[in-house]
Amino acid sequence: MPDPLQPVLGGDVPFDATAFEIESREELDTHLLRNTLAGLIVLGLRLDRHPPDLSSVDVRDTLFVGCRFVSPEVEIDLIRRGAHVVPPFRTLPYPTHPALLYTPEDLAAGFGEGGFEAMYDTVVYRHFVERGGAVPDVREAIAQRLHDAGIDNALGKALAAWAAAHGAAGAVGIMGGHAEPRGSEAYRMAATLARRLATSGRLIVTGGGPGVMEAANLGAYFAARTEPELAAAIDMLAPAPHFLDHEPYTAAALGVRATYPLPAVDLADRLRFGGLALPTWLYGHEPANLFAGQIGKYFSNAVREDSILRLSRGGIVFAPGWAGTVQEVFQAATKTFYRTDGPSGSFVFLGVQHWAGLPVVELLGTLLARSPHGDQSGLIVVTDSLDEAMAALCR
């Protein structure tokens, strides 16, 4: 079986735009032809496999982060010659500095052999819980923060690649209830809207969980397919509606992926098909969302929440949801009120009846009307119409 961590530990991937960072063996070998790595950063490579000869290479001020070497003697020699080495924590089930964002294949690795409990995603969550969950000891906390720093770095590179390939069209966040059953009206609306947005060139951003978040990434996954095909895929998922039924829920998602495989795309294009998901192991009891193009999975929920809202400057869709969704509404409102990340896109509330039962929109309108940057309440749209939602998000 292939090593499920190889993609995030620096597999064979295309070069990216970061001239000072090395994330693949191919890129490393190119630099070794020049016999120097001076001043460069080498991220998460398996240098214990087919180990390169580094004995005569200039490594002054080279930073090796999360790399694995064939022996401690190699590490010591590098340090003596001016390199800095931040080694991986070898007893962990996750890399301490992933070079790339995860893919659905990474998180689901092991499901075919051992089911949900054997998945990489589940194994890491179990480790997270056993090491104290949200309050880990110092050793585990350091490892988790190194991992999340790697995800931060990989996220920046993925977004830069997206912008280079597709321009600066805004990212649209889609939020909503994590418990929304597959096949429900809200699930279908979110998926259909996300597909239309992705087809129009917008980047879909979600929290990477089940329910509405999965629906949004699913819709973006079908960006190159038709709405009837999307509807058929949702019908395939509907017999496994509840995310806590881990085994059938995950199997149904993998079944849809097998029936509707993605077109062959390079690294920069992965976000076009499925969008971006930013989940967290804090909520690791929820099955992995297996339809995002790339996945920035964090240990820190606070960093992940802020990143979702900071990125969604092209507007945010709030499908029906409760406490978590309401929290996200006002986190986003704070950024819009102060314009901490520049001008904001629309706040689109899908589901008139649902939002009529919560005083969210009224309070939000009062708040945004008093922004120091002028009345922002015109950004609010409450609708059951996907056409109206599209018009608000694409204006």
Side-chain angles (χ1 to χ4, degrees), residues 55-85:
S55 60
S56 63
V57 176
D58 185 356
V59 292
R60 288 173 296 174
D61 205 31
T62 305
L63 177 61
F64 293 89
V65 181
C67 296
R68 300 187 185 184
F69 298 95
V70 70
S71 70
E73 288 73 25
V74 172
E75 296 182 41
I76 293 169
D77 177 64
L78 291 171
I79 294 169
R80 283 175 174 165
R81 292 190 290 117
H84 306 279
V85 177

Side-chain angles (χ1 to χ4, degrees), residues 14 105 166 221 224-225 257 260-273:
E105 291 81 2
H166 302 286
Y221 182 91
R225 296 184 182 271
R257 290 183 62 92
Y260 299 98
L262 286 179
V265 294
D266 62 21
L267 183 64
D269 247 359
R270 286 181 190 171
L271 291 177
R272 180 183 169 198
F273 300 100

Side-chain angles (χ1 to χ4, degrees), residues 174-180 210-213 283 304-305 309 316-333 347-350 354-355 358 360 364:
I174 300 185
M175 317 296 178
H178 68 281
E180 190 66 42
V212 167
M213 293 172 283
Y283 303 138
R304 163 253 190 182
E305 286 273 10
L309 300 172
I316 304 180
V317 177
F318 296 100
W322 296 97
T325 305
V326 170
Q327 172 186 316
E328 289 163 343
V329 169
F330 288 101
Q331 279 185 262
F347 285 62
V348 176
F349 292 85
L350 276 185
H354 175 84
W355 293 111
L358 289 172
V360 172
L364 179 64

Side-chain angles (χ1 to χ4, degrees), residues 96-344:
T96 44
H97 202 292
L100 302 170
L101 296 179
Y102 292 101
T103 66
E105 291 81 2
D106 296 331
L107 296 186
F111 183 84
E113 296 79 11
F116 185 80
E117 287 303 309
M119 283 173 53
Y120 168 75
D121 196 32
T122 309
V123 170
V124 175
Y125 173 61
R126 191 161 54 242
H127 172 90
F128 171 76
V129 172
E130 291 170 353
R131 297 304 190 278
V135 286
D137 61 35
V138 172
R139 184 187 299 271
E140 180 67 24
I142 291 172
Q144 290 180 13
R145 280 152 182 75
L146 283 171
H147 171 278
D148 285 3
I151 293 295
D152 279 342
N153 189 47
L155 178 60
K157 291 181 290 188
L159 293 172
W162 166 270
H166 302 286
V172 176
I174 300 185
M175 317 296 178
H178 68 281
E180 190 66 42
R182 287 168 165 168
S184 70
E185 181 181 359
Y187 187 100
R188 291 179 185 273
M189 285 185 69
T192 303
L193 177 60
R195 181 197 163 275
R196 293 183 186 180
L197 287 165
T199 301
S200 72
R202 308 303 288 274
L203 174 62
I204 301 302
V205 181
T206 80
V212 167
M213 293 172 283
E214 180 191 77
N217 289 124
L218 173 68
Y221 182 91
F222 276 74
R225 296 184 182 271
T226 65
E227 285 193 13
E229 286 177 301
L230 172 59
I234 296 175
D235 290 341
M236 289 178 62
L237 295 169
H242 303 299
F243 74 87
L244 289 176
D245 295 333
H246 295 157
E247 213 78 21
Y249 193 91
T250 304
L254 293 173
V256 166
R257 290 183 62 92
T259 303
Y260 299 98
L262 286 179
V265 294
D266 62 21
L267 183 64
D269 247 359
R270 286 181 190 171
L271 291 177
R272 180 183 169 198
F273 300 100
L276 174 67
L278 299 178
T280 172
W281 275 293
L282 183 67
Y283 303 138
H285 63 288
E286 300 176 358
N289 178 337
L290 300 181
F291 295 107
Q294 295 200 62
I295 302 169
K297 189 145 193 178
Y298 285 90
F299 288 101
S300 170
N301 183 50
V303 171
R304 163 253 190 182
E305 286 273 10
D306 186 72
S307 296
I308 295 168
L309 300 172
R310 179 167 45 86
L311 293 174
S312 302
R313 306 316 298 164
I316 304 180
V317 177
F318 296 100
W322 296 97
T325 305
V326 170
Q327 172 186 316
E328 289 163 343
V329 169
F330 288 101
Q331 279 185 262
T334 300
K335 295 178 180 296
T336 297
F337 184 88
Y338 291 111
R339 285 199 172 185
T340 53
D341 297 302
S344 175

Side-chain angles (χ1 to χ4, degrees), residues 27-48:
E27 193 173 1
L28 175 70
D29 290 344
T30 298
H31 284 280
L32 292 180
L33 291 175
R34 305 169 192 150
N35 210 39
T36 180
L37 298 173
L40 300 180
I41 303 170
V42 185
L43 300 172
L45 297 192
R46 294 298 302 262
L47 302 180
D48 54 341

